[in-house]
Amino acid sequence: MAKKVLRELRLNRDWCKGCGICVSFCPKNVLELDSKDKVVAVRPEDCICCMLCELRCPDLAIEVLTDQESDNE
Amino acid sequence: MAVKDYLRERFFPHMWCPGCGHGTILNSLIRAVEELDLNKNEIVMTSGIGCSARISGYVDFHSLHTLHGRALTFATGVKLSRPHLKVLVPMGDGDALAIGGNHFIHAARRNIDITAIVMNNRIYGMTGGQFSPLSGPGVKATTAPFLTIDSSFDVVELAKAAGATFVARSTAYHAKEATGYLKKAIMHKGFSVVEILSQCPTHYGRKNKEGDAVSMLELHKTNTAPLGSKALKENPSLTPRGIFVDVERPEYCSEYDKIIDYAMKEAR
């Protein structure tokens, strides 16, 4: 089956309130809060596209955009 | 349609506090509607008063922001006059079971095709953290500085006893599971109740030393267990999650149509 690969982590900093739910529950520690208490992706290359941040974000501020990795690579 | 097509983006960022579970419930609900590929012109959301009730302002469905506790009565009116519409009624714990407790049990008794979502954060958040009938004993609130002594309702047992034909419980932590239950509840013909445990870090968490939103979500994980699981068998004090009731019973609008047909025949 084709694997999902990350195209873009779209973080809406205007909507983010910095609760830190995405940061704490990310299994790969991709996200952090910056000095303004807003979410930033510090290790996007580690993202496994589990979508948990997008699903749990109470501010609907995260979108995980993915591509399908082709099998014949 | 994308998830954002179901939102009224002009009202964002929303008014809920940082880390409020109600935002996650909105997230789960929007995803359920999107995965079912429902037409947003055929959904009506009615809500009452409270933090939870503000949800109807953020969704791009037909929406009614109504009286405290009376969301289900408005929903009943909408459903009876336009039975083809899907009616979603998100309510807070106080809205559903204190102020609107009577409407809740009678909507369940009638088995009218409405989806009731109880966003249970166990406190009245909007008015400053008074305890609700779902707070349970031993909880600190502004109206109970020396801890509450009242027992709480069990939403699932109450809905079952009142006659709801679909009853489920999930939490804000289990967002994916909640989306699944919401999808089933929306498609169920009859009165469906989905209780989703939510967190209020501002009023409940702070007073009860449950910490911030993250540690409150951790409690959702550690204090609940799926129905039929080993963890639940070993520790019955955990709150069970899952689908408790999923049965068929004559639905109110269909029965009402039959009575109209009968009366029209008699009149002729």
Side-chain angles (χ1 to χ4, degrees):
Chain A
M1 209 183 93
K3 210 175 103 188
K4 273 190 206 162
V5 287
L6 182 71
R7 180 170 9 121
E8 191 192 341
L9 261 173
R10 201 172 278 173
L11 307 172
N12 187 337
R13 288 171 60 87
D14 290 337
W15 291 11
C16 175
K17 294 191 187 118
C19 64
I21 288 175
C22 56
V23 176
S24 298
F25 292 112
C26 176
K28 293 288 171 186
N29 298 316
V30 172
L31 304 163
E32 274 180 21
L33 296 182
D34 66 5
S35 56
K36 288 185 176 150
D37 264 357
K38 302 264 184 184
V39 66
V40 279
V42 285
R43 283 171 287 274
E45 64 281 359
D46 290 352
C47 177
I48 51 169
C49 309
C50 67
M51 317 289 279
L52 287 176
C53 54
E54 177 175 331
L55 297 174
R56 289 211 184 101
C57 176
D59 296 309
L60 294 98
I62 304 179
E63 266 182 284
V64 184
L65 302 176
T66 58
D67 285 323
Q68 293 291 334
E69 194 176 61
S70 56
D71 284 333
N72 49 12
E73 262 181 69
Chain B
M1 278 215 284
V3 168
K4 286 210 167 151
D5 294 334
Y6 291 102
L7 293 178
R8 290 177 182 147
E9 290 192 59
R10 63 185 184 281
F11 295 132
F12 278 77
H14 57 56
M15 51 67 73
W16 291 313
C17 302
C20 174
H22 290 0
T24 311
I25 296 173
L26 168 65
N27 198 333
S28 302
L29 180 63
I30 289 284
R31 265 162 232 279
V33 171
E34 193 252 349
E35 283 171 26
L36 290 171
D37 201 21
L38 299 177
N39 180 347
K40 60 183 179 183
N41 293 323
E42 288 178 2
I43 306 172
V44 184
M45 184 181 276
T46 73
S47 66
I49 295 297
C51 290
S52 59
R54 298 292 293 261
I55 193 171
S56 65
Y58 298 122
V59 291
D60 199 18
F61 312 145
H62 300 290
S63 56
L64 288 162
H65 194 169
T66 69
L67 307 176
H68 202 0
R70 276 50 172 167
L72 279 170
T73 65
F74 285 81
T76 302
V78 170
K79 188 69 188 177
L80 274 175
S81 61
R82 297 279 184 277
H84 65 282
L85 298 176
K86 292 252 176 252
V87 186
L88 310 180
V89 186
M91 297 170 285
D93 43 318
D95 200 33
L97 293 164
I99 303 96
N102 208 11
H103 301 305
F104 183 84
I105 54 175
H106 287 286
R109 175 178 62 84
R110 287 187 185 124
N111 195 32
I112 186 164
D113 187 15
I114 289 173
T115 306
I117 302 151
V118 181
M119 304 158 79
N120 178 9
N121 59 6
R122 305 177 63 198
I123 202 97
Y124 290 101
M126 185 169 272
T127 45
Q130 294 81 3
F131 69 90
S132 87
L134 288 170
S135 296
V139 167
K140 210 168 190 178
T142 42
T143 43
F146 304 107
L147 304 180
T148 53
I149 52 168
D150 308 35
S151 294
S152 66
F153 274 135
D154 182 325
V155 181
V156 167
E157 294 301 326
L158 184 70
K160 267 160 83 173
T165 47
F166 183 95
V167 183
R169 181 193 281 134
S170 188
T171 79
Y173 176 82
H174 303 89
K176 217 169 184 169
E177 179 189 84
T179 302
Y181 294 163
L182 287 168
K183 274 163 75 176
K184 286 201 179 127
I186 293 168
M187 296 319 289
H188 179 80
K189 194 165 169 61
F191 191 73
S192 39
V193 178
V194 183
E195 179 192 13
I196 305 183
L197 304 183
S198 179
Q199 74 276 9
C200 176
T202 304
H203 289 297
Y204 192 94
R206 217 159 33 112
K207 282 205 182 66
N208 290 288
K209 304 226 175 353
E210 287 191 5
D212 61 359
V214 172
S215 47
M216 291 185 84
L217 279 174
E218 292 279 1
L219 289 176
H220 286 169
K221 186 169 67 171
T222 50
N223 291 348
T224 66
L227 265 184
S229 68
K230 204 174 147 215
L232 194 63
K233 213 170 276 171
E234 284 170 1
N235 186 359
S237 68
L238 296 176
T239 308
R241 303 193 317 272
I243 296 172
F244 297 81
V245 181
D246 188 358
V247 293
E248 295 286 320
R249 199 154 62 80
E251 195 270 331
Y252 194 67
C253 294
S254 329
E255 294 303 302
Y256 198 70
D257 281 346
K258 283 184 201 160
I259 284 294
I260 292 173
D261 284 346
Y262 176 73
M264 297 302 266
K265 270 188 208 127
E266 288 289 298
R268 248 182 254 131

